[in-house]
Each structure stands twice: as C-alpha cells, then as structure tokens.
C-alpha cells in the first residue's frame, strides 16, 4: 500500500458537473466541499463583525456606532463563529473528507444522513442570517437569562432557532463518525493503528452526541419563556436565572473541546508527517483525547464562580478544571518529544503546526489562571477571558484548521498552492494574532470588562494595538483564500503523495475517485510507520 | 511595590496584594513552561532538520518514565495552583462579622447604594479606609455584576437573590466600579466610582449626607404600611411568628429541618413564603413578590435584622442616629471627635 494506485476512474470532482450532482451528492468528499463553502462564508461574516468591533474599540468613546448596534456586532460575531464556523470547521470539512479515507472505507456509514446534516446546517444558518437581516440580536452568543427571556427586544427566538437547528447537524455528524469508525475500518485497521486524527474525531463525536441536546433544550426553553412566559429562568415568574447558565455551560464547556480536539488530531498528523516519525506516546495521546472528552463534561461550573454558586461546588469545579488540563499538557509534551530525532521539514503545514504549538501553549496556560478560584474572581468576564479563549479557539483551532487545509489541499483539490505565499500567510496570521490578543490579557488584568462599547481612556493604547493586530490578522486570513481559489483552477497538479507521508489517504490519487479505493486496502502496520519504508514523494 | 507596574491595576484592598502575588506566581510558572517547550521545539527543529529529501526520522519508542514525569509534575503544580487559588477564594467568601454592611441594587443601567444609616448614593459609593465592608447585592431586573478591579473583587447581582461581597480598602482614592455581566444596551455605561475616605472624612461625609432616617427606620415604616405588623407582633400573639430575634437564630421548619435565618432566608420568607414554613404556623403568609421593590425589600430586611440587634454591622444604625462616630462601630476605627 505504499505505492500510489494507478487509477483511471474519474476523480470525485470530475464525476458529474450538474448542480444536482453536487446538491444531491452522497459522496462524503463532495459534502465536505459543500461544508467548506458554507463555513467559509460564515467565517467571513463572523470576521466582518470582528473587524467592526475592533474599529469601534479604537477610541474609548462609543463613537462609531450606537451601543445597541455594537452589542449586536459582538453577538453576531460570536454566534457565527462558534456555531456556524468553529464547531463544524474541522469535523465537517476535513473530518468528512478524511475519516472514511483514513480508515480505508468507501464512504461514511450513513451517506444520506451526512447530506442531511449539511442541509440542516444551512437551514439553521439561514434562520440566523434571517435574524441578522431583520435587525439582529443583542444577547451575546451566550443568551444569558433573564436578559434574553425578559429584557432583550431583538430577534432572540429566530437566532435561537438557528442554533437549535444547527445542533442537529452536529449531532448527526457525530453519530455518523462514531458508527463509521466502529464498523467500517478496513481489515487490519485495529484501534491502535488508527491515525490520531481519527481518535480525536471519535472523542469529539461523543461530545457532540451527549452535549448538543442539552444546549438545544436550553435555547428552546429560552424561546418558550419568551413566548409563553413559562417561568423556568425568570425569577419574576418563579424561575431561576442561574439554572440557564448551568444548562448552557454543560454543553458549551465541552463545546470548547468540540472546537479544539479535532485541531489536536490535525496537529498530530502534521507533526508526524513533517517530522517523518511516529507520534511519541501514541496511546497517551489517543487516550488523552478520550480523557478530555470525559472530564470535560464535569467542569462547566468554572464559568460561574461569581454567579452565587456554592463555595463547595466552586471548589469541585476548580479542581476538575485542573484535572482536565493535564491531558492537554500530555499532548503538548508528546508532540514536542516527537520532534526529537525526527526529519523535520519546514513546509507550510508544519509552519502552521509550530504556530499552533505556540498559541495553544499560551491559551492552555492562561486557562490555569481562570481555573484558579481566587484569581478568576478578578479576571472573570474581562478581556483576560476573551484573550484566553481566542488563543484556544482562534490560535489553536483555526491554526490547526489552516494547517490541515494546507496539508490536505493537494488531496482535496488535486492541486498545489504557492508555498512561498503560504509561509508568508502563516507568519502574518501568527504575528497578527499575537498583536491582537496579547494586549487583551493585559487589558483584562487591568480590569476591562468584556462586551464594553466604551471604556476608560487609560486603556486606549492597548486597544489600538489590538485593532492594529486584527487588521494584520485579517489580511493573513485573506491571502490563503486567494491562493486556494487560484490554485483550484490554475495550481500545479498534485501527485498522490506530495509530502512523502504515511496514511491511507496518500495511497490513492489526488483528487481521489468517488469510491476512494479500487480494492479495500489491507492494513499491516501501525500509523506513522515511517521507519519501515524508503521515503518517496510521489 | 517598589515600582509601578503599568499592567496591574491599583492595589487598594487587602485582597489586591494576595491576588497579585498569586498572579505573579502563575505568570512565572507559565513563562517557565512556555519557554521550556518553545526552546525544545526550536532546538529539535533545527538540530533534526531534514537534510535530504528521502530521509525519515529515527524511531524512538515511547517511554513510560517520561510520560509519567510529564503527567505527574504538571499535576503536582496544578494542585498547588488549585489550593492557593481556593484559599484566596475562601477568604473572599467569608466576610468578617464586624464588616459594615451596605446594600447595592443593580438596575439597568445604574448602581444604587444604601447605607444602613439611610444615605443613598447612585453610581458612587463612599467607604472608609481600613474598615471591612460587606456589600449585599441584588438586582431589580437582569443579572449584573459588581466589579471593582482595584479591590480584585467581583460578584454577580442576580435578580431574586441576595449575593454578598466584601473587601477592606487599604488606600484612599477613587476607583472604578464596573458592571461586568452583560446587561443590554448601556452595559458599558453602568459604571460608578468607589470613593475611599479617611475614617474621619467618611464620618463627615455621612453627617453631611441627606439623613432620611436609617434603613431600619424606613423598613419599620414599610413593615407597618404593608401590614406585616398585623401578623407579626413582638410577642407570640400574632398569626405569624415574632420577628424580634429571628435574624441569626436557628429556625425549625415544618417537617423538622432547621435553617439559619440569614439574609437569604429573610428575603425568601418575604418574596416566597411558601418555600419554607416555620414549624407550628400555617402557610398563610401572602407573597410580596412584585409588591415591594428591591430597595424596599432591603429596608424590610434591615429592620428585621436591626431588631435582633446583635450583629455589629447593624447595631449602630439601629439606633437611627447617623451621628458621626455611630455607624459601623468597629474597635479599630478612630472616631471623629
Ligand atoms: Cu469552560
Ligand atoms: Cu449591568
């Protein structure tokens, strides 16, 4: 299986050119492309709102837009980025494309459900966009009660429905992955021969299935309380506003791992491929994904240390939050150790992986600050938190997503992209990102609360730096958009295995034929068996 | 500190220095690990860079000893962080019994304060330096959060509940007070100033303020106006229990459970009387939810507390005389005279 199969069948991209052949496709690879287009759109919508936020914050006075408009900006930024970009990003695009291929299957277990998941996401997205067009929503992506149920007079229900609907997309994708990974592995592809990308997606899928229903119910209850005044959350109706926070974070903390675990899976692949070496401590890395998924369900209360939750509950949540940090530390050390005695090349996907390591490190370490009870009291709901989760979700997840896109782009499109530009963009993203978000840690410790339309003058310098960084970051994201689009049409044709990497995806042509494999592959070796072979780029 | 770190807010409470010390510890540990990992990555990346196209890495098999090392050492450090953070939090959640109590009500988009002696303030809070202050926080509409960065304290104002927060100011001056929980349109305008005064100045300020009668006095008037007094008498002759000494006492409920009558209990007894029924009484008290404002509720509670008389924070104001030297009589506080 280490030589590329000579295959004369049309690639999945060539197999049908009509609209129906795309919109009614059951091919996981085409569905991945549909997702790619959809989430890229949402990324740019979310990004546009981010830009507007940063522009407003250039000056301490709220002088660019009205307070209410600003509140809508950050709400729409969060909703678009979290629910319609980050959560689907790696699983729905790279996962969809690669999970079957990496385990030697022809497709996911339920191809029709896979297509359905995409349609559901689109419908959810349309609801949310509809809410934006009709005037937007101003509750913050967290929809905290009783503000969302009793006070806000914006389009909460419509947006909530969008989130509710898109949740089913996530659940169905997770279900599809779990069944596929259990049932459709090629002969010889034992659990411990699976690429770590698969382990990460398996763990992610568990969270999607178990967590998403809870947030769906929470938003539904918000909608019911708004319309029927049922008194679940509003104290004037006999409800408890803090109950909502429990329901919301029961999902939304694990959701952080929906956003970051797949990224960790990507990084494992990148480091193995560009160090040409098996991941050090494979089993520790694999099980740490499961560990994170499991313990991640019991730390939600760390978002509520100052919400009047009991001191003892806070103690337990703080303790468990420290425990859940350990598997991430294990992964980081194992990735570092993998580099030892590797054969390390600095091609662009690896540059993104290096970027991920740096940014994820900062994001993870500052998480320890927030898990510390006495310190969280001060920095909770400030820019320190904003900076922390952007380091994880933008610095970590988006870096990994871009790294993965650069790594698998030749496989997906059958074309190469300009390597020089790719490295340049990676550098722009890294520098722009740090300039945007590092000052926000400082602002947070100085006491700047989040979701502030105007702020005291003494914080202007740091805010201007942040805005300057955001513009660099924005350009850094636009460049790959341009050269990927260009490459799709004009790029040099990619060989089956441009990186000399192991993994079943590199044994089939670029782009792969619709059925992926001519004959079901038989797996005889561990993942990342670089030492067994002579390295060949072909 | 011997120099002014521009990235740390003013240290103006006893918590500020302990939180900052912990913060510097966290920054140091993080910097150490960040530098360690980045250096290792850089050194490996250069030392083991690919020299020719067909080269593969040399297999190195996982080592259990190494895995255990980088699991257990971080775990140990994490536990230090946990205990240190928790100990500060514990101190923050236990107001001393001699703390001066002030009621705070968040309302979109302003902060209303009322001192036990009756003075009201909006978006400005005067407190004396060196005196523990306990804020009893409520909200009239949505969730807000009282945040005073210079004191390193924060507590949500949750409608339907009374939450508490305390601090001892250590430095006179004017400090920001923010609403930290998003509450709608003018959230970022929901700001105020905490003015920390020398005790003498504070007494003068209290004396100069419009003395409309203490909170307890206002509460007593409400108690009569709302006809609480028809059921609650000073002796056991009413249909409801006497409230004279209830605050701080242990109340036995129908069914045998007991509960300490603190602020939260009194609040619940008024807005949701059916939640806990006192043993030996019928559940006939009507709810006052919606009939009293958040501030009136605070005044009623202040009155009930004042009758019990025992707690230092309320003892002085119960006399109803906001004369200099009277409020918040704490042994350490110098008097103006
Ligand atoms: Cu969390
Ligand atoms: Cu507020």
């Amino acid at each position: 299986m280490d030589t590329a199969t000579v295959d004369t069948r049309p690639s999945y991209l060539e197999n049908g050119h009509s609209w129906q052949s795309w919109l009614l496709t059951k091919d996981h690879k085409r569905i991945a492309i549909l997702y790619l287009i959809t989430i890229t759109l949402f990324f740019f919508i979310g990004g546009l709102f981010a830009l507007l936020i940063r522009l407003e914050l250039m000056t301490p006075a709220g002088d660019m837009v009205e307070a209410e408009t600003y509140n809508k900006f950050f709400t729409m930024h969060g909703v678009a980025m979290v629910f319609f970009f980050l959560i689907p990003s790696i699983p729905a695009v790279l996962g969809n494309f690669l999970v079957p291929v990496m385990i030697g299957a022809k497709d996911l277990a339920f191809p029709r459900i896979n297509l359905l998941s995409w349609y559901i996401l689109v419908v959810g997205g349309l609801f949310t966009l509809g809410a934006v067009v009709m005037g937007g929503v101003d509750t913050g992506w967290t929809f905290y009660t009783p503000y969302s149920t009793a006070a806000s007079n914006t389009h909460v229900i419509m947006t909530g429905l969008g989130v509710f609907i898109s949740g089913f997309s996530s659940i169905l994708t997770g279900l599809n992955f779990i069944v596929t990974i259990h049932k459709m592995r090629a002969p010889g592809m034992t659990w411990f021969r699976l690429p770590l990308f698969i382990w990460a997606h398996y763990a992610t899928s568990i969270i999607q299935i178990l967590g998403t229903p809870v947030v769906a119910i929470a938003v539904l209850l918000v909608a019911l309380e708004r319309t029927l005044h049922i008194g679940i959350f509003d104290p004037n109706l006999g409800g408890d506003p803090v109950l909502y926070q429990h329901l919301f974070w029961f999902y939304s903390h694990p959701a952080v791992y929906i956003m970051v675990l797949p990224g960790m899976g990507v990084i494992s692949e990148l480091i193995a491929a560009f160090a040409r070496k098996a991941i050090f401590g494979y089993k520790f890395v694999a099980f740490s994904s499961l560990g994170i998924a499991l313990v991640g369900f019991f730390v939600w209360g760390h978002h509520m240390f100052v919400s009047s939750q009991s001191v003892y509950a806070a103690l337990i949540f703080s303790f468990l939050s420290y425990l859940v940090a350990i598997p991430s530390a294990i992964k980081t050390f194992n990735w570092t150790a993998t580099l030892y005695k590797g054969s390390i090349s600095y091609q662009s996907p690896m540059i993104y992986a290096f970027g991920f390591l740096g940014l994820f490190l900062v994001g993870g370490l500052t998480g320890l600050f927030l898990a510390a009870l006495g310190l969280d009291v001060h920095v909770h709901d400030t820019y320190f938190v904003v900076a922390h989760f952007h380091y994880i979700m933008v610095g970590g997840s988006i870096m990994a997503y871009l790294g993965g896109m650069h790594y698998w782009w030749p496989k997906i499109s059958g074309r190469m992209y300009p390597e020089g530009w790719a490295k340049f963009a990676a550098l722009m993203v890294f520098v722009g990102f740090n300039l945007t978000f590092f000052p926000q840690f400082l602002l947070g410790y100085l006491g700047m609360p989040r979701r502030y339309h105007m702020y005291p003058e003494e914080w202007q310098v740091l805010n201007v730096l942040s805005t300057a960084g955001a513009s660099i970051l924005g350009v850094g994201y636009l460049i790959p958009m341009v050269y990927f689009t260009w490459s799709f049409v004009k790029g040099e044709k990619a060989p089956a295995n441009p990186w000399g990497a192991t993994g079943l995806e590199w044994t089939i042509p670029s782009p792969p034929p619709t059925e992926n494999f001519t004959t079901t592959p038989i797996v005889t070796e561990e993942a990342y068996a670089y030492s067994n072979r002579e390295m060949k780029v072909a | 500190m011997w120099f002014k770190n521009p990235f740390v807010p003013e240290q103006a409470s006893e918590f500020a220095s302990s939180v900052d010390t912990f913060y510097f510890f966290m920054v140091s540990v993080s910097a150490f690990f960040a530098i360690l990992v980045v250096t290792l990555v850089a050194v490996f990346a250069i030392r083991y860079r690919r020299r020719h196209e067909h080269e593969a890495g040399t297999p190195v098999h996982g080592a259990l000893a190494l895995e255990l090392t980088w699991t257990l050492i971080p775990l140990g450090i994490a536990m230090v962080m946990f205990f240190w953070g928790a100990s500060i939090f514990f101190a923050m959640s236990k107001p001393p019994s001699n703390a001066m109590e002030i009621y705070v009500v968040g309302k979109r988009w302003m902060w209303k304060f009322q001192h036990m002696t009756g003075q009201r303030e909006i978006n400005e809070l005067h407190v004396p330096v060196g005196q523990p202050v306990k804020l009893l926080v409520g909200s009239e509409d949505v969730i807000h959060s009282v945040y005073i960065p210079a004191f390193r304290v924060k507590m949500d104002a949750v409608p339907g509940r009374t939450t508490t927060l305390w601090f001892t100011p250590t430095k006179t001056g004017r400090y920001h007070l923010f609403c930290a929980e998003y509450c709608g349109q003018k959230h970022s305008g929901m700001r105020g100033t905490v003015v920390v005064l020398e005790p003498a100045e504070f007494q003068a300020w209290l004396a100069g303020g419009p003395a409309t009668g203490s909170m307890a006095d206002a509460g007593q008037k409400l108690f009569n106006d709302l006809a609480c007094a028809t059921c609650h008498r000073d002796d056991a002759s009413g249909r409801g229990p006497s409230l004279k000494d209830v605050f701080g006492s242990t109340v036995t409920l129908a069914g045998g459970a007991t509960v300490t009558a603190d602020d939260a209990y009194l609040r619940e007894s008024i807005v949701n009387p059916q939640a806990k029924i006192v043993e030996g009484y019928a559940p006939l008290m009507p709810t006052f939810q919606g009939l009293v404002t958040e501030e009136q509720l605070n005044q009623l509670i202040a009155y009930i507390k004042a009758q019990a008389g025992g707690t230092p924070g309320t003892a002085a104001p119960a006399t109803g005389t906001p004369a200099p030297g009277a409020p918040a009589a704490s042994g350490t506080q110098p008097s103006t005279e």
Side-chain angles (χ1 to χ4, degrees):
Chain A
M1 65 167 237
D2 50 345
T3 49
T5 326
V6 185
D7 205 317
T8 49
R9 293 165 307 158
S11 81
Y12 81 102
L13 290 171
E14 296 297 316
N15 193 1
H17 293 277
S18 62
W19 279 105
Q20 297 93 300
S21 74
W22 280 93
L23 293 180
L24 297 177
T25 183
K26 281 173 279 169
D27 181 353
H28 65 103
K29 299 182 288 304
R30 285 199 164 198
I31 296 173
I33 302 285
L34 294 177
Y35 269 116
L36 174 64
I37 295 167
T38 317
I39 67 160
T40 306
L41 208 76
F42 276 102
F43 180 68
F44 277 91
I45 295 172
L48 186 73
F49 285 117
L51 186 74
L52 292 169
I53 293 172
R54 284 312 328 161
L55 284 177
E56 171 65 79
L57 294 180
M58 292 249 297
T59 54
D63 44 12
M64 190 181 88
V65 293
E66 297 289 310
E68 210 171 319
T69 316
Y70 177 81
N71 296 342
K72 289 177 180 171
F73 285 172
F74 70 69
T75 303
M76 294 315 305
H77 166 68
V79 170
M81 286 301 200
V82 171
F83 295 108
F84 296 96
F85 173 71
L86 282 166
I87 288 179
S89 63
I90 297 180
V93 178
L94 295 174
N96 236 316
F97 197 97
L98 293 164
V99 165
V101 181
M102 281 185 168
I103 65 173
K106 287 192 164 56
D107 206 320
L108 285 173
F110 309 114
R112 282 192 187 83
I113 290 187
N114 195 19
L115 181 64
L116 179 68
S117 327
W118 177 72
Y119 275 103
I120 294 177
L121 182 75
V122 170
V123 173
L126 286 177
F127 266 87
T128 305
L129 288 182
V132 179
V133 173
M134 283 160 57
V137 60
D138 75 341
T139 58
W141 76 279
T142 45
F143 303 105
Y144 266 23
T145 58
Y147 182 69
S148 61
T149 60
S152 172
N153 48 18
T154 57
H155 298 278
V156 179
I157 298 187
M158 183 102 166
T159 316
L161 275 181
V163 170
F164 177 78
I165 294 170
S166 72
F168 288 93
S169 166
S170 187
I171 295 175
L172 291 177
T173 304
L175 186 79
N176 224 333
F177 283 179
I178 287 190
V179 176
T180 307
I181 296 168
H182 268 277
K183 288 291 176 197
M184 299 180 61
R185 283 171 285 127
M189 181 58 94
T190 58
W191 283 94
F192 292 118
R193 283 179 180 169
L194 287 171
L196 289 163
F197 182 87
I198 301 292
W199 276 99
H201 275 75
Y202 187 82
T204 308
S205 302
I206 295 178
I207 304 176
Q208 286 175 305
I209 292 186
L210 296 181
T212 317
V214 180
V215 78
I217 290 166
V219 224
L220 197 65
L221 287 174
V222 167
L224 284 179
E225 183 154 301
R226 266 184 88 88
T227 45
L228 307 174
H229 310 287
I230 49 174
I232 302 276
F233 304 126
D234 185 349
N236 288 325
L237 304 169
D240 178 359
V242 179
L243 171 66
Y244 172 82
Q245 298 179 20
H246 283 286
L247 294 176
F248 180 80
W249 290 112
F250 181 80
Y251 164 78
S252 294
H253 183 79
V256 173
Y257 299 119
I258 297 183
M259 299 180 239
V260 82
L261 274 173
M264 293 169 154
V266 169
I267 295 304
S268 294
E269 298 303 312
L270 297 185
I271 289 185
F274 293 95
R276 293 224 174 119
K277 207 164 146 283
I279 291 290
F280 191 86
Y282 172 97
K283 284 193 184 172
F284 287 89
V285 177
F287 283 119
S288 64
S289 287
L290 292 183
I292 287 175
L294 211 76
V295 185
F297 270 109
F298 301 99
V299 302
W300 77 89
H302 64 207
H303 297 268
M304 301 160 61
F305 288 154
V306 298
S307 70
S308 75
Q309 146 183 278
S310 100
V311 174
Y312 298 99
L315 273 181
I316 293 172
F317 284 125
S318 165
F319 178 77
L320 291 171
S321 302
Y322 277 109
L323 283 195
V324 82
I326 301 299
S328 297
I330 294 178
K331 281 181 195 274
T332 307
F333 289 124
N334 278 299
W335 289 324
T336 308
T338 305
L339 299 176
Y340 175 71
K341 291 197 173 176
S343 161
I344 298 162
S345 91
Y346 307 145
Q347 279 150 305
S348 52
M350 189 62 161
I351 303 294
Y352 279 100
F354 284 143
F356 171 96
L357 281 181
L359 302 182
F360 181 71
L361 201 61
V362 177
L365 288 167
T366 51
L368 301 174
F369 289 56
L370 296 168
L373 289 164
L375 194 48
D376 181 68
V377 169
H378 175 51
V379 287
H380 173 75
D381 268 340
T382 68
Y383 264 87
F384 193 94
V385 176
V386 176
H388 158 71
F389 72 74
H390 280 86
Y391 264 84
I392 297 284
M393 282 155 40
V394 184
S397 305
I398 300 188
M399 272 308 224
Y401 173 67
L402 286 177
M405 283 305 292
H406 283 82
Y407 179 51
W408 285 294
W409 181 257
K411 184 59 56 186
I412 295 173
S413 69
R415 310 253 178 187
M416 299 305 289
Y417 48 81
E419 174 69 13
W421 279 105
K423 282 191 176 133
F424 176 68
L427 193 73
M428 291 276 280
V429 170
F430 188 80
V431 171
F433 179 87
N434 280 302
L435 190 55
T436 311
F437 292 104
F438 199 81
Q440 297 187 3
F441 280 124
L442 305 176
L443 282 170
Y445 200 76
L446 284 170
M448 178 164 167
R450 63 193 288 199
R451 297 172 170 177
Y452 259 35
H453 173 228
M454 47 183 196
Y455 55 85
E457 277 167 22
E458 60 260 35
W459 294 331
Q460 185 169 14
V461 175
L462 289 170
N463 271 293
V464 169
L465 281 180
S466 180
T467 303
S471 52
I472 301 178
L473 184 61
V475 176
Y477 286 143
L478 281 173
I479 299 173
M481 267 294 288
V482 176
Y483 63 70
F484 276 146
T485 314
W486 173 86
S487 138
F488 203 79
V489 192
K490 289 242 166 84
E492 183 195 326
K493 289 250 190 294
N497 189 357
W499 316 115
T502 64
L504 291 177
E505 76 268 31
W506 303 112
T507 63
I508 58 176
S510 304
T514 303
E515 300 80 22
N516 302 339
F517 301 95
T518 341
T519 50
T520 306
I522 293 170
V523 181
T524 54
E525 56 186 15
E526 314 296 306
Y528 322 117
Y530 282 96
S531 52
N532 298 357
R533 73 192 58 217
E534 198 187 314
M535 293 321 312
K536 246 201 264 139
V537 176
Chain B
M1 236 192 296
W2 51 274
F3 75 104
K4 171 94 186 65
N5 183 339
F7 300 119
V8 169
E10 193 99 48
Q11 291 187 333
S13 79
E14 283 177 3
F15 294 133
S17 55
S18 58
V19 169
D20 287 353
T21 310
F22 181 44
Y23 175 66
F24 294 134
F25 164 77
M26 297 292 292
V27 171
S28 316
V29 173
S30 303
F32 172 79
F33 277 100
I35 292 170
L36 177 76
V37 171
V38 170
T39 310
L40 285 175
V41 168
V43 167
F44 291 161
I46 295 168
R47 168 78 181 72
Y48 301 109
R49 65 187 175 280
R50 191 171 298 167
R51 316 226 171 207
H52 49 83
E53 213 191 318
H54 300 300
E55 182 187 74
T58 316
V60 177
H61 291 291
L64 188 65
L66 258 182
E67 296 286 351
L68 285 180
T69 314
W70 63 49
T71 306
L72 295 180
I73 292 180
L75 188 66
I77 296 172
M79 287 304 102
V80 173
M81 294 173 175
F82 165 70
F83 280 111
W84 193 338
S87 70
I88 296 175
F89 188 69
F90 251 76
M92 286 177 168
S93 52
K94 296 251 177 320
S97 55
N98 66 340
M100 173 179 133
E101 297 189 338
I102 300 173
Y103 282 90
V104 184
V105 175
K107 181 182 182 227
R108 296 195 296 157
W109 289 274
M110 60 165 116
W111 292 108
K112 298 190 279 188
F113 302 92
Q114 188 164 19
H115 295 257
M116 281 309 207
T117 41
Q119 284 81 356
R120 293 165 187 278
E121 305 188 64
I122 288 183
N123 291 345
E124 214 174 39
L125 172 64
H126 288 77
V127 289
V129 71
Q131 158 74 40
V133 175
K134 173 174 164 189
L135 302 184
L136 293 143
V137 186
S139 163
E140 240 166 67
D141 38 44
V142 300
I143 302 181
H144 304 276
S145 193
V146 181
Y147 178 32
I148 309 164
F151 297 168
R152 312 290 187 273
V153 293
K154 181 183 290 121
M155 179 47 82
D156 284 2
V158 183
R161 291 189 193 181
T162 305
T163 58
T164 58
L165 159 130
W166 79 277
F167 50 81
T168 306
T170 52
K171 201 169 159 188
T172 57
R174 298 171 65 84
Y175 306 106
H176 287 300
L177 181 149
F178 295 115
C179 174
E181 182 62 67
Y182 175 66
C183 56
Q185 195 194 9
K186 299 205 181 86
H187 166 58
S188 63
M190 192 167 161
R191 292 187 221 166
T193 306
V194 180
V195 185
V196 180
L197 300 172
E198 289 296 342
E201 290 173 328
F202 179 70
Q203 296 311 334
W205 177 84
L206 272 186
T212 50
S214 73
M215 278 191 81
D217 288 347
Q220 181 168 26
K221 185 166 179 307
L222 277 170
F223 199 79
N224 292 319
D225 292 352
L226 292 166
C228 312
T230 56
C231 297
H232 297 289
R233 311 250 172 93
D234 278 357
D235 50 32
S237 66
R239 284 189 287 165
S242 160
L243 300 183
K244 209 167 165 316
D245 292 310
V246 68
F247 182 70
S249 72
T250 304
V251 177
T252 308
L253 303 174
T258 57
V259 52
T260 307
D262 53 10
D263 278 274
Y265 172 78
L266 293 183
R267 175 194 188 95
E268 187 187 54
S269 297
I270 300 170
V271 296
N272 187 11
Q274 309 300 327
K276 297 192 179 79
I277 303 295
V278 182
E279 181 171 53
Y281 289 89
L284 48 78
M285 173 165 159
T287 170
F288 286 85
Q289 166 108 51
L291 298 179
V292 288
T293 66
E294 195 63 26
E295 284 166 282
Q296 290 174 325
L297 193 56
N298 289 339
Q299 289 162 352
L300 282 170
I301 294 172
Y303 168 62
I304 298 172
K305 285 162 75 171
Q307 283 181 293
T311 55
T314 52
T319 63
T321 46
S330 115
T332 57
Q333 188 180 8
S335 154
T336 32
E337 266 101 13

